[in-house]
Amino acid sequence: MLMDWVGPVSVHANGNGKTEKPLHIAMLPWLAMGHIYPYFELAKILAQKGHHVTFINSPKNINRINPKAPKNLRPFITLARLPLPRVEHLPEGAESTMDIPPTKLCFLKKAYDGLQDAVAELLKTSKPDWVFYDFAAAWVAPIAKTLNIPCAHYNITPAYNIVFFNPPKDKMKDYSIESICGPPTWLPFPTTLHLRPYEFFRVLQSIKDEETGEMAHFDLRKAYSSCDMFLLRTSRELEGEWLDYLAGDYKVPVVPVGLLPPSMQVRDAEEEDENPDWVTIKEWLDTKESSSVVYIGFGSELKLSQEDLTELAKGIELSGLPFFWALKNLKEGVLELPEGFEERTKDRGIVWKSWAPQIKILAHGAIGGCMSHCGAGSVIEKLQFGHVLVTLPYLLDQALFSRVIEEKKVGIEVPRSGKDGSFTGDSVAKTLRYAIVDEEGSSLRKNAKETGKLFSSEELHNQYIDDLISALHKYRISSSS
């Protein structure tokens, strides 16, 4: 159920029963819609509580945000459109990771870094109580400190990402590929989390610009160690031991903001028109048996290779399962489905090549499981509805979340070659059937349904928001003194 609009609350009660003045928070997410949306959802939730947010990003990215803030909340959210400086080798008009190939990431990062003077001036004139910055903006903290503004690093991924990707140098055995990718043996608790060497090398290769040889560099240690507080889109129920370790390692408050599941997200009911595509999709889903359809979606930015697309299609076909495949970024003439695939599977599946109302689809009773690249937002959306996951990660944070999914026994990863990460249609088919229909996978489906209760609990995640606001009041005083 979507959060009903009841009007913003202008005061907040602290633990002593006193009321606090509304806060003013500046937010600067990274130039990627997968980061901008979680930041904006938190902005809307804080605005609904009566706090003011200055939301900073490039003009095109702010214009891309959809749905916008409800009309009643717009007085509480200032959209600060800062033009990116022109950077050589960055394609004209590129303002987001969705506008460029990964090889141009280094130039997008340079453009982002070029916002420093504009951000400094904006913070100086707007004088927020807090500034929330993303992993790529390590330069924000020094600016904020010169202005006596406390700053929080808001990370949209769980705590284990921060711990894993910024290990303590004094506890690392060496910097061999085995040490970098293997489970962190220096942790005070057991974990199976790991990367595979091909995942590490594939990312390095994908972000190197062929023309200049440059690669994007993100100073994570500086970003993490410069903040007055960590905020993370996670919960103690999901990873309490990682949160405790993070707090001990960095010696700053670590505050989970909850998972911000779709059920919490603020929508303007008056502006939500019934999408005609949803009518068509729902009519098709209504013809399917309960929990029989696998939803397949890899987000709007992942660009599959032709080889992977072909093997994925083969696996979907071999599985024999009913499916809904959201394939918006299929480039006709560049990437092609196997000849005759749609015709052969039309009685049990749909390949949807335009925008799909994902939340409505996931909430439909016909959906029995999902296949995902394991982006943090994608996992939260799917597990909220208790859907078992079949994972096929591509980026490093996706790979770690995939390992967590297996560790928590709510999903299973498609087997890949340890040499190059390739997979076969046969492995896709077997994994899909194991997770969705085979008796051997019934425990995964049961665990996913139980986990769904945690991910969808509005009461639990509203409490996290209240605790966040209390922390912002409490540590604003100590950080600014």
Side-chain angles (χ1 to χ4, degrees):
M1 182 177 67
L2 298 178
M3 185 181 286
D4 295 327
W5 168 245
V6 295
V9 181
S10 60
V11 294
H12 177 76
N14 65 19
N16 298 319
K18 297 180 181 179
T19 56
E20 303 276 9
K21 291 196 305 181
L23 294 162
H24 176 197
I25 299 157
M27 293 187 180
L28 178 63
W30 164 235
L31 304 175
M33 298 313 294
H35 287 244
I36 290 168
Y37 276 121
Y39 266 73
F40 195 63
E41 289 303 336
L42 184 58
K44 289 189 290 184
I45 290 170
L46 290 172
Q48 192 179 44
K49 299 284 187 178
H51 305 285
H52 187 86
V53 177
T54 297
F55 195 86
I56 309 166
N57 218 270
S58 74
K60 184 184 290 187
N61 289 340
I62 285 181
N63 293 340
R64 281 169 167 156
I65 296 172
N66 187 36
K68 310 295 184 186
K71 291 179 181 178
N72 306 66
L73 294 186
R74 290 175 192 172
F76 294 84
I77 300 177
T78 299
L79 299 174
R81 296 173 169 86
L82 299 186
L84 296 178
R86 183 77 184 100
V87 171
E88 189 179 4
H89 304 297
L90 183 65
E92 187 72 32
E95 297 184 12
S96 166
T97 54
M98 69 187 301
D99 300 326
I100 59 170
T103 54
K104 301 298 180 184
L105 189 64
C106 52
F107 307 117
L108 188 68
K109 175 63 165 54
K110 286 183 180 180
Y112 189 61
D113 292 345
L115 292 177
Q116 293 182 47
D117 289 345
V119 169
E121 184 61 29
L122 181 61
L123 294 178
K124 183 178 179 180
T125 55
S126 61
K127 299 178 181 178
D129 296 299
W130 279 93
V131 56
F132 295 179
Y133 67 92
D134 212 336
F135 79 100
W139 44 266
V140 166
I143 292 173
K145 291 183 189 302
T146 63
L147 299 172
N148 203 32
I149 300 170
C151 55
H153 170 52
Y154 174 34
N155 199 299
I156 65 165
T157 64
Y160 59 73
N161 267 291
I162 294 175
V163 176
F164 197 98
F165 291 125
N166 190 31
K169 292 182 178 179
D170 58 329
K171 295 180 182 177
M172 288 285 287
K173 182 175 61 176
D174 55 48
Y175 277 88
S176 65
I177 190 65
E178 290 78 12
S179 294
I180 293 172
C181 293
T185 56
W186 36 266
L187 288 170
F189 53 87
T191 180
T192 61
L193 259 63
H194 64 282
L195 296 173
R196 297 180 180 126
Y198 75 80
E199 293 170 332
F200 184 78
F201 290 123
R202 183 171 58 189
V203 167
L204 289 181
Q205 292 168 358
S206 71
I207 63 173
K208 184 176 182 179
D209 182 55
E210 297 175 357
E211 183 180 355
T212 65
E214 292 189 57
M215 295 175 62
H217 174 70
F218 300 93
D219 193 340
L220 297 181
R221 177 160 290 278
K222 183 178 179 182
Y224 298 159
S225 62
S226 301
C227 64
D228 297 300
M229 182 162 63
F230 271 106
L231 306 179
L232 298 102
R233 186 187 184 184
T234 188
S235 70
R236 293 200 63 83
E237 293 78 9
L238 180 65
E239 52 163 3
E241 67 274 27
W242 293 90
L243 290 166
D244 291 340
Y245 179 84
L246 192 63
D249 192 34
Y250 286 93
K251 305 296 189 295
V252 295
V254 173
V255 180
V257 306
L259 298 171
L260 308 184
S263 60
M264 276 191 67
Q265 294 175 8
V266 184
R267 299 288 186 266
D268 191 338
E270 295 179 2
E271 295 186 359
E272 283 199 345
D273 298 323
E274 185 72 359
N275 186 286
D277 288 342
W278 168 238
V279 175
T280 301
I281 294 168
K282 184 177 183 301
E283 288 177 352
W284 182 81
L285 288 170
D286 287 344
T287 67
K288 303 304 176 186
E289 295 181 10
S290 175
S291 302
S292 66
V293 178
V294 56
Y295 177 85
I296 303 158
F298 291 86
S300 59
E301 295 194 31
L302 178 63
K303 299 172 178 65
L304 293 169
S305 67
Q306 181 61 65
E307 180 183 4
D308 283 2
L309 179 68
T310 298
E311 293 302 320
L312 187 54
K314 286 181 181 178
I316 293 167
E317 184 172 357
L318 282 171
S319 75
L321 296 171
F323 66 90
F324 184 97
W325 190 356
L327 198 56
K328 180 182 176 183
N329 57 356
L330 178 66
K331 295 181 179 178
E332 300 289 355
V334 178
L335 294 178
E336 298 287 353
L337 289 166
E339 186 176 354
F341 171 82
E342 291 178 86
E343 179 64 26
R344 292 191 300 273
T345 60
K346 65 180 181 180
D347 291 337
R348 61 180 174 88
I350 287 182
V351 179
W352 195 262
K353 298 175 185 177
S354 59
W355 179 83
Q358 179 167 287
I359 299 302
K360 290 184 176 181
I361 296 170
L362 294 174
H364 195 281
I367 303 298
C370 301
M371 192 171 192
S372 170
H373 59 312
C374 249
S378 176
V379 169
I380 290 168
E381 287 182 350
K382 293 171 174 65
L383 277 179
Q384 179 193 239
F385 296 101
H387 295 317
V388 66
L389 296 178
V390 173
T391 69
L392 194 64
Y394 280 84
L395 302 180
L396 297 182
D397 61 310
Q398 296 168 3
L400 286 186
F401 217 147
S402 180
R403 312 289 132 79
V404 170
I405 292 301
E406 290 202 313
E407 196 173 74
K408 300 290 184 182
K409 295 181 169 54
V410 294
I412 184 172
E413 188 172 323
V414 174
R416 294 182 188 244
S417 164
K419 182 179 180 180
D420 59 7
S422 61
F423 59 90
T424 66
D426 186 58
S427 66
V428 170
K430 289 179 179 178
T431 309
L432 282 171
R433 292 196 61 82
Y434 180 90
I436 309 298
V437 294
D438 287 352
E439 179 59 32
E440 295 92 327
S442 61
S443 62
L444 298 182
R445 298 190 288 274
K446 180 180 177 181
N447 292 340
K449 289 187 184 302
E450 287 300 312
T451 302
K453 297 175 184 177
L454 162 66
F455 276 58
S456 63
S457 172
E458 289 187 47
E459 180 180 1
L460 174 66
H461 296 298
N462 275 319
Q463 184 60 55
Y464 275 114
I465 295 298
D466 288 342
D467 292 344
L468 163 65
I469 294 170
S470 295
L472 291 174
H473 281 294
K474 176 181 178 181
Y475 294 110
R476 177 181 66 88
I477 298 170
S478 59
S479 296
S480 300
S481 58

